[in-house]
Amino acid sequence: MGVIETQGLGKRYAGGSVIALEDLTVDLGGGVTGLVGANGAGKSTLIKILLGLLSPTSGSARVLGHDIAGGGAQIRQLVGYMPEHECLPPDTRAIDFVVHMGRMSGLPPAAARERAADVLRHVGLAEERYRLMGTYSTGMKQRAKLAQALVHDPQLVMLDEPTNGLDPAARDDMLGLIRRIGHDFGIPVLVTSHLLGELERVSDHVVVLDAGHLLRSEATQSFLGDTGVLVVEVLAVGPDAQARMGEALAARGLVCRPHGSLIEIDPTTAAPDALRDMVRDTAADLGLGLVRLQAQTGQLEDVFREEVAG
Ligand SMILES: Nc1ncnc2c1ncn2[C@@H]1O[C@H](COP(=O)(O)OP(=O)(O)OP(=O)(O)O)[C@@H](O)[C@H]1O
Ligand SMILES: [Mg+2]
């Protein structure tokens, strides 16, 4: 803990009529932290406050030990920031842009060129680094934005919606890069998304914002552990194998529902061991092979939906 600490942070816009953040107190450490919330939840506002680009209306925060009040310039020197909106000059080559950003962060010319080539290769733009960025696809632009955030060897990176506009394959690549930054390189990452499901795969810690209010801030594991549903998959020996299994489980008093090719069993209907025995015996009675029997951790999306509804 202690990489990012906020205390009662609040932000109002438009003369106080728009509440973007309200009384936010969090203490975030290393690894990857996912900052999750719907459009307008306050994610970008929080990042800009942490960078010292916006002043909070109330409260305080420290980033890497520096107070945001007065320490903005120092913080921005230590932090790599990938903004959510497009910010790339279209008539500039990626290599020149990233070298320039490295120079702006204080790297000497030779080091900036070397680091720029390294980070562009790392994000998968080795071949295309001499192209004008105006000719880039959305996926390539997001990679170039990530490269400029990493060029000066930051001690913390803040990525605002890095998967925005990406197709599923490109999104997986980006999430893989983020995981490597946080885990292989050991640089703490704060990453935002409104697609809750994708952050659970890369985040060690999740912060959920709802209309400027903190819903939760906790380790991803404990977050997801709350809704352990038992998942059963039977060998599809006939078209109705799954339906027969579901009916037989229901006949034993279990609450279950089909989910694609799987059957989900409500974990509260029996003790965990008894539940597994019942599933095994039911499959054996029906002569069906069990492909899978496992406790499924909840999806962030489900947790989020319940929290907002409740
Ligand atoms: N400059 C501004 N003036 C007035 N209101 C603003 C301003 N910037 C943001 N807001 C409002 O503050 C709230 C939080 O906005 P913010 O951009 O931080 O949300 P976000 O979680 O990043 O959303 P998104 O997922 O759409 O990027 C929203 O209601 C937004 O309309
Ligand atoms: Mg935003």
Side-chain angles (χ1 to χ4, degrees):
M1 291 292 137
V3 174
I4 295 172
E5 297 164 323
T6 73
Q7 190 65 47
L9 210 56
K11 178 69 185 176
R12 287 167 183 247
Y13 291 108
S17 59
V18 177
I19 301 176
L21 279 182
E22 178 104 311
D23 196 21
L24 182 73
T25 301
V26 289
D27 184 354
L28 308 174
V32 179
T33 299
L35 177 59
V36 173
N39 292 138
K43 306 179 297 292
S44 300
T45 297
L46 175 59
I47 286 190
K48 287 175 199 160
I49 290 175
L50 294 174
L51 288 166
L53 298 172
L54 274 181
S55 306
T57 324
S58 55
S60 62
R62 299 180 78 81
V63 176
L64 297 168
H66 298 281
D67 196 324
I68 54 166
Q74 275 163 302
I75 291 170
R76 288 193 294 278
Q77 209 155 42
L78 299 173
V79 175
Y81 169 47
M82 173 171 171
E84 79 186 302
H85 298 299
E86 211 202 298
C87 54
L88 303 170
D91 52 355
T92 305
R93 303 184 309 170
I95 184 72
D96 299 330
F97 176 66
V98 178
V99 168
H100 173 75
M101 295 304 280
R103 295 280 290 125
M104 297 272 286
S105 302
L107 291 180
R113 279 196 300 276
E114 195 176 321
R115 281 287 304 169
D118 279 352
V119 291
L120 283 165
R121 185 175 341 104
H122 177 68
V123 302
L125 288 176
E127 303 289 316
E128 297 93 349
R129 67 186 187 276
Y130 296 113
R131 256 171 65 184
L132 299 181
M133 291 186 291
T135 71
Y136 275 8
S137 69
T138 306
M140 292 162 73
K141 285 177 182 167
Q142 292 292 56
R143 287 163 185 266
K145 273 162 60 179
L146 179 61
Q148 64 77 33
L150 296 173
V151 67
H152 60 299
D153 221 351
Q155 292 180 24
L156 165 67
V157 289
M158 298 190 193
L159 312 175
D160 201 352
E161 309 229 12
T163 57
N164 219 357
L166 301 184
D167 67 32
R171 188 194 310 154
D172 283 347
D173 288 351
M174 179 60 76
L175 292 171
L177 285 169
I178 292 166
R179 193 185 300 116
R180 286 189 62 195
I181 295 168
H183 295 164
D184 298 354
F185 302 154
I187 304 172
V189 178
L190 180 66
V191 52
T192 80
S193 175
H194 56 275
L195 292 174
L196 308 156
E198 70 182 21
L199 284 185
E200 74 189 26
R201 288 156 44 200
V202 295
S203 301
D204 305 296
H205 192 97
V206 174
V207 174
V208 182
L209 288 182
D210 176 43
H213 293 84
L214 178 68
L215 274 188
R216 295 174 83 144
S217 171
E218 54 193 78
T220 311
Q221 214 45 51
S222 58
F223 202 102
L224 297 175
D226 292 348
T227 60
V229 166
L230 196 66
V231 176
V232 177
E233 184 178 0
V234 290
L235 204 59
V237 285
D240 62 344
Q242 186 199 9
R244 280 171 41 219
M245 182 72 182
E247 279 163 22
L249 289 171
R252 288 182 179 241
L254 300 180
V255 176
C256 48
R257 58 179 175 270
H259 185 97
S261 62
L262 308 173
I263 300 166
E264 293 180 352
I265 304 177
D266 184 335
T268 58
T269 26
D273 285 349
L275 199 60
R276 286 168 185 270
D277 287 350
M278 282 163 92
V279 172
R280 185 199 59 207
D281 295 346
T282 307
D285 289 352
L286 295 174
L288 294 172
L290 269 182
V291 178
R292 190 182 341 176
L293 173 59
Q294 69 184 54
Q296 185 188 49
T297 53
Q299 305 284 307
L300 275 182
E301 241 125 321
D302 299 338
V303 179
F304 187 65
R305 215 173 287 127
E306 283 162 21
E307 297 266 341
V308 172

